[in-house]
């Protein structure tokens, strides 16, 4: 696996809204959450990717490849093709390099850089894949336009992302104002860092604005009734996932603690069930400009 690094970022250069190095209070727990997040819905996501046109011989670009969990799965889908990873955080590149070492026969090329100004040539890929990335980008149209530049004519960009207002469901449910309060707080915190946790509802319009055609939308649901609650429990870990919000806004601590206690009570129920939603979007780079 080869890694290429560009020049050091200058002060004020774009930083994504995801955790920076050293920001997460439980980095090992977060890595486990990301691993389960990648694998839990992958069989269904892979089926949709194939429906969108993924083939074993494609040259694929993974944007925001993070610790390499999705990279490993994508490599299995293109045994006659290639995977290039574009990741802007050096600590994530280090995690991916260590994770993939010895696990894959066709290692990816890893490039350090931002999707707002990718250090890659035009028309290099058949498919661009960005999973839970666009929500963290302060200028999603620019990012999507850059992805289109990197595609060969007729190639596809695939965006996998969320909308916090359409996150899923739990049963039995607790429809309490305090839950709405912490969701709004998290949406506001990510917005302040340049991201958008409601990006899902905007992606089709953003793809059109960035010049794509043949836009398609699919929804993928994963359920504890299919996978077991252990596969989804890290996504419901309010104490960990809202720790940065509490750190930046101590007034939210009481509401977060209340919801965390509710989650504990929910998980202790013998009939507890959870379903989480992921949205998948695709658009094509036109054959003619």
């Amino acid at each position: 696996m080869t890694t290429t690094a560009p020049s050091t970022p200058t002060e004020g250069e774009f930083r994504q809204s995801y955790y920076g190095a050293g920001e997460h209070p439980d980095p090992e727990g977060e890595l486990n959450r990301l691993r389960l997040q990648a694998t839990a819905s992958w069989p269904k996501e892979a089926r949709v990717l194939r429906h969108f046109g993924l083939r074993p011989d494609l040259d694929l670009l993974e944007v925001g490849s993070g610790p390499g969990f999705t990279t490993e799965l994508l490599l299995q889908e293109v045994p006659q093709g290639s995977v290039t990873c574009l990741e802007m955080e050096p600590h994530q590149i280090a995690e991916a390099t260590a994770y993939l070492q010895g696990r894959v026969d066709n290692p990816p090329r890893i490039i350090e850089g931002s999707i707002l100004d990718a250090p890659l040539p035009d028309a290099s890929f058949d498919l661009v894949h960005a999973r839970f990335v666009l929500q963290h980008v302060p200028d999603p149209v620019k990012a999507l336009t850059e992805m289109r530049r990197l595609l060969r004519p007729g190639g596809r960009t695939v965006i996998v992302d969320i909308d916090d207002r359409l996150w899923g469901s739990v049963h039995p449910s607790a429809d309490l104002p305090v839950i709405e309060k912490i969701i709004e707080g998290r949406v506001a915190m990510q917005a302040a860092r340049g991201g958008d946790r409601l990006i899902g509802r905007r992606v089709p319009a953003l793809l059109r604005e960035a010049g794509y055609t043949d836009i398609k939308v699919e929804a993928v649901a994963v359920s504890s009734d299919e996978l077991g609650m252990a596969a989804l429990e890290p996504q419901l870990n309010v104490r960990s996932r809202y720790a940065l919000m509490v750190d930046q806004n101590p007034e939210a601590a009481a509401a977060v603690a209340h919801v965390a206690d509710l989650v504990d009570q929910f998980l202790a129920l013998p009939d507890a069930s959870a379903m989480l939603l992921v949205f998948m979007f695709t658009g094509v780079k036109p054959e003619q400009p």
Side-chain angles (χ1 to χ4, degrees), residues 265-280:
Q265 295 167 24
F266 163 76
L267 292 173
L269 296 173
D271 59 342
S273 175
M275 180 177 66
L276 303 180
L277 286 175
V278 174
F279 297 95
M280 300 182 68

Side-chain angles (χ1 to χ4, degrees), residues 80-152:
Q80 288 87 50
S82 67
V83 173
T84 297
C85 300
L86 179 66
E87 172 56 55
M88 64 179 293
E89 296 289 355
H91 73 284
Q92 296 277 22
I93 292 175
E95 292 281 0
T97 301
Y99 175 75
L100 293 170
Q101 187 69 40
R103 298 181 68 95
V104 295
D105 297 325
N106 50 338
R109 179 176 57 142
I110 302 180
I111 306 295
E112 184 180 339
S114 164
I115 191 52
L116 295 182
D117 186 20
L120 292 162
D122 294 357
S124 299
F125 304 98
D126 303 301
L127 191 145
V128 175
H129 184 266
R131 189 175 190 269
F132 301 147
V133 171
L134 208 62
Q135 62 173 285
H136 295 295
V137 178
D139 191 341
V141 172
K142 185 175 181 181
L144 288 168
T145 302
E146 185 72 343
M147 294 179 204
R148 182 170 59 81
R149 176 184 72 80
L150 298 172
L151 283 171
R152 295 167 182 142

